[in-house]
């Protein structure tokens, strides 16, 4: 599996310059995708930003981009014992 993610509907076309993702439980890798329509897959798409760590990850886009849907894709999640578990406490999107 290449990852797991969250889809956020931004309620129409929005300009995005920064995304803050609050992850919990250990080192987590995140990629962010900004799209004009609800995706059915991320295959073939290019992320607009990425980050890794534990706690609040600030992902600043190189240049503001527009889109109506934001995907927060977890590419690496913390492992503990026999299970892996990624936790996203909050996502903030800034224009």
């Amino acid at each position: 599996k290449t990852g797991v993610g969250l889809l956020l509907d931004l309620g129409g076309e929005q300009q995005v310059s920064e995304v803050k993702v609050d992850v919990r439980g250990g080192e987590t890798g995140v990629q962010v995708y900004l799209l004009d329509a609800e995706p059915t897959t991320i295959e073939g798409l290019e992320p607009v930003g990425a980050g890794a760590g534990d706690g609040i990850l600030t992902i600043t886009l190189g240049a503001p981009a527009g889109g109506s849907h934001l995907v927060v894709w977890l590419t690496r999640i913390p492992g503990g014992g026999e299970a892996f578990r990624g936790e996203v406490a909050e996502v903030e999107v800034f224009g």
Side-chain angles (χ1 to χ4, degrees), residues 18-30 32 50-60 72 87-94:
E18 184 176 87
V19 178
K20 290 187 179 189
V21 183
D22 187 356
V23 295
R24 307 279 172 90
E27 184 77 14
T28 303
V30 174
V32 175
D54 186 18
I56 298 175
L57 306 178
T58 300
I59 301 168
T60 303
V72 176
E87 182 179 341
V88 176
E90 184 174 25
V91 177
E92 292 182 276
V93 181
F94 299 91

